[in-house]
Amino acid sequence: MDCDLPDSILWFIFNKLSLKDQVKTSLLSKHWLHEWKVSSTHLNFNLYNTLHSNTLPKDLPLFRSLQSQFTSRLDQSVLNYQHATVSSIRVKFPLGDEHSDVIGRLIYQGIAKGVKHIELLFSHETNDTNYNLELYRFSFSLLSNADSLTYLHLENCLLVAPTDFSGLKNLRTLVLQLIVVWQHLLESLFSNCIHLVDFTLDNCNFYLSTTINSPTLIHLKIVSCSNYVKSIDIVAPNLASLEYSWKGGHKLNVVAHRLSRFIYRGWTIGLEDLSSLTNLTTIVLDGLHLFWFMQFLFEKCLQLKDVTFKNGLMSYDMEITSTKLLHLKIIDCRFESRHNKISIDAENLSSFEYSGLAGEFSIKAPKLSKVFWNAVVREKNPDSLGPIPELHQIENLAIITSYSHILKLKVLARFQNLRQLELFIDEGYYPSRKNCFILDVLMASQHLQKLLVTIKHTYWLGSLSQRKCANFVHNELKYVELHGHVSTPHAIEFARSLLRNVSSLKKVTFSSMDKFYVGAETWTKSSDSFCEFDGNYIYESLKDEIKGQCELIIL
């Protein structure tokens, strides 16, 4: 069998095949006899592409047999590899110290051929299985001549740093995961990795006090690590972003005067000195008891532009005053009393997101143009829309609501600047309600240009009265998107009324996606319930209504 495809296309095809299938191609053509040996410079060995399996057996003898097959094929691939260079090496499989020879040959081959990217991921994926593997002892002496290496990710192994180690001069990214980290190891790494800019410690164990001292670090991430440490000292004069989460309480000392982005997850923070945070422009606090920190945050961090509070606890009223603040998100924070008040005085604030139960609001933000609001969590509060009726200047409103609250959105008639409205409706249909509530909102929002509606339940709009359809007129609406459970007669009737009465309409889009935005760059997962979506039914029902430049899009 001959093939005239260009080499670039052949290599692309081979890269999509598992190692086992690549070897099988040698039976198809003499030209391909050795193609699998040189088809890719990326050596990727995992359970699927090496053994064509998706799960690890719980039975230890079966696992040992699978492990033997895996290392045998890995070693065979290394011995038969004929390409002049190696771009990357990735091994994702539970291996231990007994496989050090095979792993060593792979690494030596890569280093000899200029490898730039190495990932050795040796943990198993199931939490209920323990294979009692002796951890692979990774000696950095393997990388003594790895001047080409720029990325290194090590998982679930025991690190050994020789005293005379001198390598990794060009390493820029280092990720350590599920590893015991000792202070002497960190010192050795930072003394050798003179170009390291990105360092991640994920689920690692520390003991006593730990110091991270690097003049080159720009991004540092320490997440879900152990609580055996008493204090963490970070000295990094060029550090720009720090992401930090911890399982326990300890002192945190940061000396990083260029730090502009700080993400912290935890109920308490041992950061006593805020002097290194004075140049922050972005901060995310997740799960923190906010009272103490809030007292100083906006007094000390005068450059803050983007602030997010998530899952926090406030004992008293929340007061935010800032002239630089542009974006504020307060999502699922708990207040000790529903009478607690949120006061915001931010003359340059442009976007605000809120989901929670605070009772009162005071917002002075004349430039506020974009708002996300969760009204469903406040359903028992008669003031479920909070400050929204007074924010006449906003241009973009996204709201999680229910049918019992949609009619309250008639207040949008006062919003002369509103151009986009996004409704996430998280409630079933009430048969006793016969009016088309969303049509009421549209009629109140005569300057609206884009409407997006996401529905989680089947019957959603109610029946449209002919009288209401006849009276409905809108001259500026251009784009409508209907998502989720919208393959229904009620949805078709609603879309038909828009197509007949909105002369400015350019595009109507239907899709089955029913994910909800819940604030702070987070979306819900798609619904587990069955979402019947019939694109042919939608098209056949509406095709005769499409006129002029308007498009009907069904995804």
Side-chain angles (χ1 to χ4, degrees):
M1 173 177 159
D2 295 326
C3 179
D4 296 327
L5 291 174
D7 288 343
S8 59
I9 296 179
L10 279 177
W11 287 4
F12 177 81
I13 295 172
F14 271 94
N15 284 334
K16 296 296 182 182
L17 300 176
S18 68
L19 177 63
K20 186 176 180 180
D21 287 337
Q22 287 184 22
V23 176
K24 287 180 180 179
T25 61
S26 62
L27 302 175
L28 300 177
S29 168
K30 292 181 179 179
H31 176 70
W32 290 358
L33 185 60
H34 302 289
E35 192 70 31
W36 68 276
K37 301 178 183 179
V38 296
S39 60
S40 175
T41 61
H42 300 281
L43 302 182
N44 184 14
F45 304 96
N46 59 43
L47 186 60
Y48 178 76
N49 71 11
T50 305
L51 299 177
H52 246 313
S53 177
N54 290 314
T55 57
L56 291 170
K58 294 183 179 180
D59 181 74
L60 185 57
L62 289 176
F63 168 71
R64 288 295 187 184
S65 175
L66 197 70
Q67 194 179 50
S68 178
Q69 295 176 51
F70 183 91
T71 54
S72 176
R73 291 187 182 177
L74 187 155
D75 209 22
Q76 181 185 11
S77 298
V78 172
L79 293 173
N80 290 320
Y81 186 79
Q82 295 181 3
H83 208 289
T85 60
V86 174
S87 297
S88 68
I89 292 172
R90 187 176 189 270
V91 180
K92 185 174 178 60
F93 192 86
L95 300 178
D97 201 49
E98 62 189 278
H99 309 108
S100 58
D101 289 344
V102 175
I103 299 169
R105 283 192 288 271
L106 173 64
I107 294 174
Y108 281 129
Q109 174 87 290
I111 291 172
K113 297 192 175 186
V115 66
K116 295 181 179 180
H117 187 116
I118 293 180
E119 293 181 71
L120 302 179
L121 313 178
F122 295 147
S123 70
H124 51 83
E125 297 182 2
T126 55
N127 295 324
D128 58 346
T129 303
N130 186 2
Y131 298 123
N132 293 318
L133 296 177
E134 183 180 354
L135 292 181
Y136 170 65
R137 296 173 61 86
F138 182 89
S139 175
F140 279 94
S141 60
L142 288 169
L143 305 176
S144 294
N145 298 314
D147 293 338
S148 60
L149 194 65
T150 60
Y151 182 100
L152 178 62
H153 183 172
L154 301 175
E155 178 189 76
N156 201 39
C157 54
L158 183 62
L159 301 188
V160 180
T163 55
D164 58 346
F165 173 65
S166 59
L168 301 177
K169 300 298 183 184
N170 293 306
L171 191 71
R172 296 182 63 82
T173 301
L174 175 62
V175 180
L176 303 181
Q177 189 173 7
L178 294 171
I179 285 174
V180 176
V181 178
W182 298 96
Q183 183 60 41
H184 72 276
L185 173 68
L186 290 175
E187 292 173 358
S188 177
L189 285 172
F190 288 126
S191 66
N192 283 279
C193 304
I194 57 176
H195 295 294
L196 190 67
V197 297
D198 196 330
F199 185 33
T200 297
L201 294 163
D202 185 358
N203 274 283
C204 293
N205 285 329
F206 297 84
Y207 296 95
L208 301 177
S209 297
T210 298
T211 299
I212 295 174
N213 191 337
S214 171
T216 60
L217 270 187
I218 296 176
H219 309 288
L220 176 60
K221 185 177 181 180
I222 305 176
V223 294
S224 302
C225 294
S226 69
N227 59 356
Y228 302 113
V229 69
K230 293 182 178 179
S231 65
I232 294 283
D233 296 313
I234 299 171
V235 181
N238 289 297
L239 193 66
S241 71
L242 172 60
E243 182 174 346
Y244 198 90
S245 68
W246 210 264
K247 297 177 182 177
H250 59 276
K251 291 183 179 180
L252 174 63
N253 303 306
V254 179
V255 180
H257 294 289
R258 294 189 179 182
L259 190 65
S260 61
R261 185 171 184 265
F262 182 38
I263 299 174
Y264 187 89
R265 297 180 180 90
W267 66 273
T268 183
I269 186 169
L271 192 62
E272 298 178 355
D273 182 5
L274 297 183
S275 61
S276 287
L277 305 183
T278 55
N279 290 315
L280 281 183
T281 58
T282 299
I283 190 168
V284 178
L285 301 176
D286 190 347
L288 188 67
H289 192 302
L290 293 167
F291 176 65
W292 172 85
F293 207 72
M294 281 288 296
Q295 285 182 305
F296 301 98
L297 185 62
F298 290 98
E299 292 179 8
K300 300 290 186 180
C301 306
L302 301 178
Q303 306 302 316
L304 279 174
K305 296 181 179 179
D306 194 331
V307 174
T308 300
F309 301 126
K310 292 176 62 179
N311 306 305
L313 175 64
M314 278 297 297
S315 302
Y316 303 98
D317 294 345
M318 178 182 285
E319 296 183 9
I320 297 172
T321 302
S322 172
T323 59
K324 295 288 184 71
L325 190 62
L326 299 177
H327 310 288
L328 175 62
K329 306 175 186 73
I330 305 173
I331 304 298
D332 298 333
C333 291
R334 292 176 293 124
F335 290 79
E336 290 193 350
S337 169
R338 290 197 176 188
H339 300 292
N340 287 140
K341 183 177 181 179
I342 295 179
S343 300
I344 301 169
D345 187 350
E347 62 185 63
N348 288 299
L349 189 68
S350 63
S351 71
F352 176 55
E353 298 185 3
Y354 184 78
S355 175
L357 295 172
E360 298 181 47
F361 283 84
S362 172
I363 298 181
K364 296 180 181 179
K367 295 182 180 180
L368 186 61
S369 62
K370 184 177 181 181
V371 173
F372 163 79
W373 187 265
N374 188 342
V376 170
V377 299
R378 300 169 57 85
E379 278 191 312
K380 295 181 180 180
N381 189 327
D383 189 21
S384 61
L385 294 181
I388 289 180
E390 306 303 321
L391 302 176
H392 300 164
Q393 75 275 21
I394 62 175
E395 301 174 8
N396 186 323
L397 174 62
I399 184 167
I400 299 179
T401 187
S402 61
Y403 287 108
S404 55
H405 286 80
I406 285 180
L407 283 178
K408 292 186 178 182
L409 293 178
K410 282 188 174 183
V411 299
L412 298 181
R414 311 172 196 164
F415 289 56
Q416 298 300 307
N417 296 319
L418 189 64
R419 297 295 182 267
Q420 177 171 312
L421 176 62
E422 187 163 9
L423 301 176
F424 301 96
I425 303 178
D426 191 12
E427 184 182 57
Y429 168 62
Y430 288 103
S432 62
R433 301 177 186 268
K434 299 297 183 181
N435 295 322
C436 176
F437 300 148
I438 300 179
L439 206 58
D440 289 329
V441 175
L442 276 177
M443 293 174 69
S445 309
Q446 283 296 312
H447 298 286
L448 199 67
Q449 296 182 357
K450 186 172 184 178
L451 172 69
L452 303 94
V453 182
T454 302
I455 310 296
K456 271 200 172 181
H457 300 278
T458 304
Y459 298 104
W460 63 288
L461 289 173
S463 300
L464 296 179
S465 68
Q466 292 183 355
R467 181 177 179 182
K468 178 163 288 190
C469 290
N471 294 332
F472 172 65
V473 176
H474 204 292
N475 296 318
E476 296 192 31
L477 188 64
K478 295 180 174 63
Y479 305 99
V480 175
E481 296 183 13
L482 305 177
H483 303 287
H485 292 261
V486 294
S487 183
T488 66
H490 306 297
I492 297 300
E493 191 177 356
F494 175 73
R496 185 178 289 119
S497 68
L498 295 180
L499 291 167
R500 290 177 177 176
N501 297 286
V502 182
S503 59
S504 56
L505 205 58
K506 293 184 177 181
K507 185 185 295 185
V508 177
T509 302
F510 282 80
S511 87
S512 60
M513 183 188 73
D514 64 349
K515 295 190 298 183
F516 274 35
Y517 182 71
V518 292
E521 316 304 326
T522 305
W523 291 76
T524 63
K525 295 181 180 179
S526 294
S527 174
D528 292 331
S529 61
F530 177 67
C531 178
E532 183 178 350
F533 187 82
D534 189 342
N536 288 332
Y537 166 69
I538 295 171
Y539 174 75
E540 291 297 328
S541 300
L542 297 176
K543 64 180 181 180
D544 294 334
E545 306 291 345
I546 304 299
K547 299 175 183 178
Q549 297 180 345
C550 185
E551 294 180 85
L552 176 62
I553 307 295
I554 303 173
L555 302 176

